[in-house]
Amino acid sequence: MTETPLLTIIVNGETVSFSLEDFPGSVGALITVLAFPEEHVVAEVNGELVKRSDIASRSLTPGDKVELVRFVGGG
Amino acid sequence: MMQDTLVIAGREFSSRLFVGTGKFSDSGAMRAAIEASGTEMVTVALRRVDIANPGDDILAAIDRSRAQLLPNTSGARDADEAVRIARLAREASGVEWVKLEIHPDPNYLLPDPVETFKAAEILVKEGFVVLPYVNADPVLCLRLQEIGTATVMPLGSPIGSNQGIRTRANLEIIIEQATVPVVVDAGLGLPSHAADAIEMGADAVLVNTALAVARDPTAMAKAFRLAVEAAAIGVKAGPGESQRTAEASSPLTGFLG
């Protein structure tokens, strides 16, 4: 039995591993996989802002660094 | 000096009390305090989503038809980080308003004037409505209003310290020189502190900790609302001059013989 190679993405500083079949192909897919509420989440990939309208289409490749941020209470 | 109506970047505010949303025990307490405060300007912060526990969406608890959302750049240690956070916040919220705050010092959270000015220049050019949180520095406030910030927001005392106004002499100069609204932000712990700021001629105040840590945040929010309203009415009513000696309020004629 061959071991499936794991592909990783760095999400908010944490390494998240996926099998080849489960690898999320886009930021939108990643948000779905992580079960984040998509509304008002905004993303950067490798330091570059992803427009909300592009979240579904912005593709991901293994090794990408993704920041997912949202509003919290603050003064 | 305080104008009859508070207008920031073309938006009219009937409430002079701005409210922050940090440190509340839960979103229900925050929502009730916002409601009781009567505020029309509410600040929020931007943070990484916790992968293990995404939590609730705070925007669901804020009535944006009533209050202007004001994302802050807290967490930024320099101008580059602040600009990056502001752009993310604009994308997340759809609004171009930003409370610019850069305070790398962890003990007193005092704002960095050099980085704040640099970030303000960039953000104003990019079309943001910039409300910069600054120390009570009259020269810095002049420089910021010259480059087009929508307000200046000098501190009364360090963030969350509840010390009230400890920067009085400089705040008086800032208010005297301002051509944009002056919002006293940070350190106001009591309703009387907020009233004090408005009576000095500030256009508005921003409070967060004073409400969030009160035993009854809703009641405290109401107290701040009433204090700010009372002070603003008093200022418009034209108070008498302060003087050293007494002046009788009862007639000095017609005494009994």
Side-chain angles (χ1 to χ4, degrees), chain B residues 151-200:
Chain B
T151 64
V152 288
M153 301 213 292
L155 58 85
S157 51
I159 292 174
S161 70
N162 297 325
Q163 292 177 45
I165 293 177
R166 303 287 293 270
T167 52
R168 180 173 306 275
N170 279 2
L171 281 181
E172 286 170 354
I173 299 171
I174 290 168
I175 289 164
E176 180 193 323
Q177 295 181 340
T179 55
V180 294
V182 177
V183 183
V184 174
D185 178 8
L188 305 180
L190 294 171
S192 58
H193 296 161
D196 189 8
I198 299 295
E199 285 171 350
M200 285 173 65

Short mmCIF file of all heavy atoms in Angstrom, two decimals, chain B residues 151-200:
data_model
loop_
_atom_site.label_atom_id
_atom_site.label_comp_id
_atom_site.label_asym_id
_atom_site.label_seq_id
_atom_site.Cartn_x
_atom_site.Cartn_y
_atom_site.Cartn_z
N THR B 151 -10.46 63.54 11.08
CA THR B 151 -10.52 64.02 12.47
C THR B 151 -9.10 63.98 13.01
O THR B 151 -8.19 63.50 12.32
CB THR B 151 -11.34 63.08 13.39
OG1 THR B 151 -10.67 61.81 13.45
CG2 THR B 151 -12.76 62.90 12.92
N VAL B 152 -8.95 64.40 14.25
CA VAL B 152 -7.80 63.97 15.05
C VAL B 152 -8.39 63.37 16.34
O VAL B 152 -9.44 63.82 16.81
CB VAL B 152 -6.81 65.12 15.37
CG1 VAL B 152 -6.05 65.52 14.12
CG2 VAL B 152 -7.52 66.31 15.99
N MET B 153 -7.72 62.34 16.85
CA MET B 153 -8.24 61.66 18.04
C MET B 153 -7.15 61.56 19.10
O MET B 153 -6.54 60.51 19.29
CB MET B 153 -8.76 60.28 17.67
CG MET B 153 -9.87 60.34 16.62
SD MET B 153 -11.11 59.05 16.81
CE MET B 153 -10.15 57.62 16.41
N PRO B 154 -6.92 62.69 19.80
CA PRO B 154 -5.90 62.67 20.84
C PRO B 154 -6.39 61.94 22.09
O PRO B 154 -7.58 61.90 22.38
CB PRO B 154 -5.69 64.16 21.14
CG PRO B 154 -6.97 64.80 20.78
CD PRO B 154 -7.54 64.01 19.63
N LEU B 155 -5.44 61.36 22.81
CA LEU B 155 -5.79 60.59 24.00
C LEU B 155 -5.94 61.50 25.22
O LEU B 155 -5.29 62.54 25.33
CB LEU B 155 -4.74 59.51 24.27
CG LEU B 155 -3.28 59.90 24.47
CD1 LEU B 155 -3.00 60.29 25.91
CD2 LEU B 155 -2.38 58.73 24.08
N GLY B 156 -6.83 61.06 26.13
CA GLY B 156 -6.97 61.74 27.42
C GLY B 156 -5.94 61.20 28.41
O GLY B 156 -5.36 61.93 29.20
N SER B 157 -5.75 59.89 28.35
CA SER B 157 -4.75 59.17 29.14
C SER B 157 -4.59 57.80 28.49
O SER B 157 -5.34 57.49 27.55
CB SER B 157 -5.17 59.08 30.62
OG SER B 157 -6.48 58.57 30.74
N PRO B 158 -3.65 56.96 28.95
CA PRO B 158 -3.43 55.70 28.23
C PRO B 158 -4.69 54.83 28.09
O PRO B 158 -5.56 54.83 28.96
CB PRO B 158 -2.36 55.01 29.08
CG PRO B 158 -1.57 56.14 29.64
CD PRO B 158 -2.61 57.20 29.96
N ILE B 159 -4.74 54.09 26.98
CA ILE B 159 -5.87 53.22 26.65
C ILE B 159 -6.25 52.34 27.84
O ILE B 159 -5.39 51.70 28.45
CB ILE B 159 -5.50 52.31 25.45
CG1 ILE B 159 -5.33 53.12 24.17
CG2 ILE B 159 -6.55 51.21 25.25
CD1 ILE B 159 -4.81 52.32 22.98
N GLY B 160 -7.51 52.31 28.16
CA GLY B 160 -8.01 51.39 29.18
C GLY B 160 -7.62 51.75 30.60
O GLY B 160 -7.87 50.98 31.53
N SER B 161 -7.00 52.93 30.80
CA SER B 161 -6.48 53.25 32.13
C SER B 161 -7.54 53.89 33.03
O SER B 161 -7.35 53.97 34.25
CB SER B 161 -5.26 54.19 32.02
OG SER B 161 -5.68 55.48 31.58
N ASN B 162 -8.62 54.38 32.46
CA ASN B 162 -9.70 55.02 33.23
C ASN B 162 -9.24 56.22 34.05
O ASN B 162 -9.87 56.57 35.05
CB ASN B 162 -10.39 54.00 34.16
CG ASN B 162 -11.06 52.89 33.39
OD1 ASN B 162 -11.60 53.12 32.31
ND2 ASN B 162 -11.02 51.68 33.93
N GLN B 163 -8.14 56.86 33.63
CA GLN B 163 -7.60 57.98 34.41
C GLN B 163 -8.28 59.31 34.07
O GLN B 163 -8.04 60.31 34.75
CB GLN B 163 -6.10 58.13 34.15
CG GLN B 163 -5.24 57.01 34.68
CD GLN B 163 -3.78 57.21 34.32
OE1 GLN B 163 -3.24 58.31 34.45
NE2 GLN B 163 -3.14 56.16 33.83
N GLY B 164 -9.07 59.34 33.01
CA GLY B 164 -9.68 60.60 32.62
C GLY B 164 -8.69 61.47 31.85
O GLY B 164 -7.74 60.97 31.26
N ILE B 165 -8.92 62.77 31.88
CA ILE B 165 -8.11 63.68 31.06
C ILE B 165 -6.85 64.11 31.81
O ILE B 165 -6.93 64.85 32.79
CB ILE B 165 -8.95 64.88 30.61
CG1 ILE B 165 -10.03 64.37 29.65
CG2 ILE B 165 -8.08 65.94 29.93
CD1 ILE B 165 -10.99 65.40 29.18
N ARG B 166 -5.71 63.61 31.35
CA ARG B 166 -4.42 63.96 31.94
C ARG B 166 -3.58 64.78 30.97
O ARG B 166 -2.41 65.02 31.23
CB ARG B 166 -3.67 62.67 32.31
CG ARG B 166 -4.45 61.75 33.24
CD ARG B 166 -4.50 62.31 34.66
NE ARG B 166 -3.17 62.31 35.28
CZ ARG B 166 -2.69 61.30 35.98
NH1 ARG B 166 -3.41 60.22 36.17
NH2 ARG B 166 -1.49 61.35 36.51
N THR B 167 -4.17 65.17 29.87
CA THR B 167 -3.43 65.88 28.82
C THR B 167 -4.09 67.23 28.55
O THR B 167 -4.07 67.74 27.43
CB THR B 167 -3.45 65.04 27.52
OG1 THR B 167 -4.81 64.70 27.22
CG2 THR B 167 -2.64 63.76 27.65
N ARG B 168 -4.70 67.79 29.60
CA ARG B 168 -5.58 68.94 29.44
C ARG B 168 -4.96 70.11 28.68
O ARG B 168 -5.57 70.63 27.73
CB ARG B 168 -6.04 69.41 30.83
CG ARG B 168 -6.98 70.62 30.82
CD ARG B 168 -7.51 70.90 32.21
NE ARG B 168 -8.12 69.71 32.78
CZ ARG B 168 -9.39 69.36 32.55
NH1 ARG B 168 -10.16 70.11 31.80
NH2 ARG B 168 -9.88 68.28 33.07
N ALA B 169 -3.76 70.53 29.09
CA ALA B 169 -3.19 71.74 28.49
C ALA B 169 -3.01 71.57 26.98
O ALA B 169 -3.33 72.49 26.20
CB ALA B 169 -1.85 72.07 29.15
N ASN B 170 -2.52 70.40 26.57
CA ASN B 170 -2.33 70.18 25.14
C ASN B 170 -3.64 69.98 24.40
O ASN B 170 -3.80 70.40 23.25
CB ASN B 170 -1.40 68.98 24.90
CG ASN B 170 0.06 69.39 25.06
OD1 ASN B 170 0.37 70.55 25.37
ND2 ASN B 170 0.95 68.45 24.86
N LEU B 171 -4.59 69.33 25.04
CA LEU B 171 -5.91 69.17 24.40
C LEU B 171 -6.55 70.53 24.13
O LEU B 171 -7.18 70.73 23.08
CB LEU B 171 -6.85 68.34 25.29
CG LEU B 171 -6.69 66.83 25.29
CD1 LEU B 171 -7.73 66.20 26.22
CD2 LEU B 171 -6.82 66.25 23.88
N GLU B 172 -6.37 71.45 25.05
CA GLU B 172 -6.94 72.80 24.85
C GLU B 172 -6.36 73.46 23.60
O GLU B 172 -7.09 74.09 22.82
CB GLU B 172 -6.68 73.67 26.09
CG GLU B 172 -7.58 73.28 27.26
CD GLU B 172 -7.20 73.96 28.58
OE1 GLU B 172 -6.16 74.66 28.64
OE2 GLU B 172 -7.94 73.76 29.55
N ILE B 173 -5.06 73.27 23.40
CA ILE B 173 -4.42 73.86 22.21
C ILE B 173 -4.92 73.16 20.95
O ILE B 173 -5.23 73.79 19.93
CB ILE B 173 -2.88 73.76 22.31
CG1 ILE B 173 -2.38 74.53 23.53
CG2 ILE B 173 -2.22 74.29 21.04
CD1 ILE B 173 -0.91 74.32 23.85
N ILE B 174 -5.01 71.84 21.02
CA ILE B 174 -5.49 71.06 19.85
C ILE B 174 -6.89 71.52 19.46
O ILE B 174 -7.17 71.76 18.27
CB ILE B 174 -5.47 69.55 20.17
CG1 ILE B 174 -4.02 69.05 20.28
CG2 ILE B 174 -6.23 68.74 19.12
CD1 ILE B 174 -3.87 67.67 20.88
N ILE B 175 -7.76 71.66 20.45
CA ILE B 175 -9.14 72.07 20.18
C ILE B 175 -9.17 73.49 19.58
O ILE B 175 -9.90 73.77 18.63
CB ILE B 175 -9.98 71.96 21.47
CG1 ILE B 175 -10.20 70.48 21.82
CG2 ILE B 175 -11.31 72.70 21.34
CD1 ILE B 175 -10.67 70.23 23.24
N GLU B 176 -8.33 74.35 20.13
CA GLU B 176 -8.27 75.74 19.64
C GLU B 176 -7.83 75.80 18.18
O GLU B 176 -8.34 76.61 17.40
CB GLU B 176 -7.29 76.51 20.53
CG GLU B 176 -7.09 77.96 20.18
CD GLU B 176 -5.88 78.54 20.93
OE1 GLU B 176 -5.65 78.17 22.10
OE2 GLU B 176 -5.14 79.31 20.32
N GLN B 177 -6.91 74.92 17.79
CA GLN B 177 -6.32 75.00 16.45
C GLN B 177 -7.05 74.16 15.41
O GLN B 177 -6.79 74.30 14.21
CB GLN B 177 -4.86 74.51 16.50
CG GLN B 177 -3.95 75.40 17.34
CD GLN B 177 -2.52 74.88 17.33
OE1 GLN B 177 -2.26 73.72 17.03
NE2 GLN B 177 -1.59 75.74 17.68
N ALA B 178 -7.95 73.29 15.86
CA ALA B 178 -8.47 72.27 14.94
C ALA B 178 -9.39 72.85 13.89
O ALA B 178 -10.24 73.69 14.18
CB ALA B 178 -9.20 71.20 15.73
N THR B 179 -9.22 72.36 12.66
CA THR B 179 -10.19 72.65 11.59
C THR B 179 -10.97 71.38 11.25
O THR B 179 -11.84 71.40 10.39
CB THR B 179 -9.47 73.15 10.33
OG1 THR B 179 -8.48 72.18 9.95
CG2 THR B 179 -8.81 74.49 10.57
N VAL B 180 -10.62 70.28 11.89
CA VAL B 180 -11.38 69.02 11.74
C VAL B 180 -11.91 68.67 13.13
O VAL B 180 -11.40 69.17 14.14
CB VAL B 180 -10.48 67.88 11.21
CG1 VAL B 180 -10.04 68.17 9.78
CG2 VAL B 180 -9.28 67.64 12.12
N PRO B 181 -12.93 67.80 13.22
CA PRO B 181 -13.44 67.43 14.54
C PRO B 181 -12.35 66.78 15.41
O PRO B 181 -11.52 66.03 14.93
CB PRO B 181 -14.55 66.43 14.21
CG PRO B 181 -15.00 66.80 12.84
CD PRO B 181 -13.76 67.25 12.13
N VAL B 182 -12.40 67.13 16.70
CA VAL B 182 -11.48 66.56 17.68
C VAL B 182 -12.26 65.53 18.50
O VAL B 182 -13.29 65.85 19.10
CB VAL B 182 -10.91 67.64 18.62
CG1 VAL B 182 -10.02 67.01 19.69
CG2 VAL B 182 -10.15 68.69 17.83
N VAL B 183 -11.76 64.30 18.50
CA VAL B 183 -12.39 63.23 19.26
C VAL B 183 -11.42 62.81 20.37
O VAL B 183 -10.32 62.37 20.07
CB VAL B 183 -12.69 62.01 18.36
CG1 VAL B 183 -13.42 60.92 19.15
CG2 VAL B 183 -13.46 62.41 17.12
N VAL B 184 -11.82 63.01 21.61
CA VAL B 184 -10.93 62.58 22.70
C VAL B 184 -11.14 61.07 22.89
O VAL B 184 -12.24 60.60 23.16
CB VAL B 184 -11.20 63.36 24.00
CG1 VAL B 184 -10.35 62.78 25.14
CG2 VAL B 184 -10.85 64.83 23.81
N ASP B 185 -10.06 60.36 22.69
CA ASP B 185 -10.10 58.90 22.63
C ASP B 185 -9.13 58.36 23.67
O ASP B 185 -8.01 58.80 23.76
CB ASP B 185 -9.67 58.48 21.22
CG ASP B 185 -9.63 56.99 21.04
OD1 ASP B 185 -10.07 56.25 21.94
OD2 ASP B 185 -9.17 56.55 19.97
N ALA B 186 -9.59 57.44 24.45
CA ALA B 186 -8.74 56.66 25.37
C ALA B 186 -8.63 57.29 26.75
O ALA B 186 -8.43 58.50 26.89
CB ALA B 186 -7.33 56.45 24.82
N GLY B 187 -8.81 56.44 27.73
CA GLY B 187 -8.57 56.80 29.12
C GLY B 187 -9.78 57.35 29.86
O GLY B 187 -9.70 57.59 31.06
N LEU B 188 -10.89 57.58 29.15
CA LEU B 188 -12.06 58.15 29.82
C LEU B 188 -12.78 57.04 30.59
O LEU B 188 -13.31 56.11 30.00
CB LEU B 188 -13.01 58.80 28.80
CG LEU B 188 -12.36 59.86 27.90
CD1 LEU B 188 -13.39 60.43 26.93
CD2 LEU B 188 -11.71 60.96 28.72
N GLY B 189 -12.77 57.13 31.91
CA GLY B 189 -13.29 56.04 32.73
C GLY B 189 -14.65 56.31 33.34
O GLY B 189 -15.34 55.38 33.75
N LEU B 190 -15.02 57.58 33.43
CA LEU B 190 -16.27 57.97 34.08
C LEU B 190 -17.09 58.87 33.15
O LEU B 190 -16.52 59.60 32.34
CB LEU B 190 -15.98 58.76 35.36
CG LEU B 190 -15.31 58.01 36.51
CD1 LEU B 190 -14.90 58.99 37.59
CD2 LEU B 190 -16.25 56.95 37.06
N PRO B 191 -18.41 58.87 33.34
CA PRO B 191 -19.22 59.81 32.56
C PRO B 191 -18.73 61.25 32.71
O PRO B 191 -18.75 62.02 31.74
CB PRO B 191 -20.62 59.62 33.15
CG PRO B 191 -20.61 58.21 33.66
CD PRO B 191 -19.23 57.97 34.17
N SER B 192 -18.29 61.62 33.92
CA SER B 192 -17.82 63.00 34.12
C SER B 192 -16.57 63.30 33.29
O SER B 192 -16.36 64.44 32.87
CB SER B 192 -17.54 63.26 35.61
OG SER B 192 -16.57 62.35 36.10
N HIS B 193 -15.73 62.27 33.04
CA HIS B 193 -14.56 62.49 32.18
C HIS B 193 -15.01 62.85 30.75
O HIS B 193 -14.42 63.72 30.09
CB HIS B 193 -13.69 61.23 32.10
CG HIS B 193 -13.09 60.81 33.40
ND1 HIS B 193 -12.62 59.52 33.63
CD2 HIS B 193 -12.87 61.48 34.56
CE1 HIS B 193 -12.15 59.43 34.85
NE2 HIS B 193 -12.28 60.61 35.44
N ALA B 194 -16.04 62.15 30.28
CA ALA B 194 -16.54 62.41 28.93
C ALA B 194 -17.15 63.81 28.86
O ALA B 194 -16.92 64.56 27.91
CB ALA B 194 -17.57 61.35 28.54
N ALA B 195 -17.92 64.15 29.90
CA ALA B 195 -18.52 65.49 29.94
C ALA B 195 -17.43 66.55 29.97
O ALA B 195 -17.53 67.59 29.30
CB ALA B 195 -19.42 65.61 31.17
N ASP B 196 -16.36 66.29 30.71
CA ASP B 196 -15.23 67.20 30.80
C ASP B 196 -14.66 67.48 29.40
O ASP B 196 -14.43 68.64 29.02
CB ASP B 196 -14.17 66.54 31.71
CG ASP B 196 -13.04 67.46 32.08
OD1 ASP B 196 -13.12 68.66 31.78
OD2 ASP B 196 -12.06 66.97 32.68
N ALA B 197 -14.45 66.40 28.64
CA ALA B 197 -13.89 66.56 27.29
C ALA B 197 -14.80 67.42 26.42
O ALA B 197 -14.33 68.33 25.71
CB ALA B 197 -13.68 65.19 26.65
N ILE B 198 -16.10 67.16 26.47
CA ILE B 198 -17.04 67.92 25.64
C ILE B 198 -17.08 69.39 26.11
O ILE B 198 -17.12 70.31 25.29
CB ILE B 198 -18.45 67.28 25.70
CG1 ILE B 198 -18.42 65.85 25.16
CG2 ILE B 198 -19.47 68.14 24.95
CD1 ILE B 198 -18.10 65.70 23.70
N GLU B 199 -17.05 69.58 27.42
CA GLU B 199 -17.08 70.96 27.94
C GLU B 199 -15.82 71.74 27.55
O GLU B 199 -15.85 72.96 27.41
CB GLU B 199 -17.26 70.95 29.46
CG GLU B 199 -18.69 70.60 29.86
CD GLU B 199 -18.86 70.37 31.35
OE1 GLU B 199 -17.85 70.30 32.08
OE2 GLU B 199 -20.02 70.25 31.78
N MET B 200 -14.70 71.01 27.38
CA MET B 200 -13.47 71.67 26.92
C MET B 200 -13.58 72.10 25.46
O MET B 200 -12.74 72.87 24.98
CB MET B 200 -12.29 70.70 27.04
CG MET B 200 -11.80 70.50 28.46
SD MET B 200 -10.53 69.20 28.50
CE MET B 200 -9.25 69.97 27.52
#
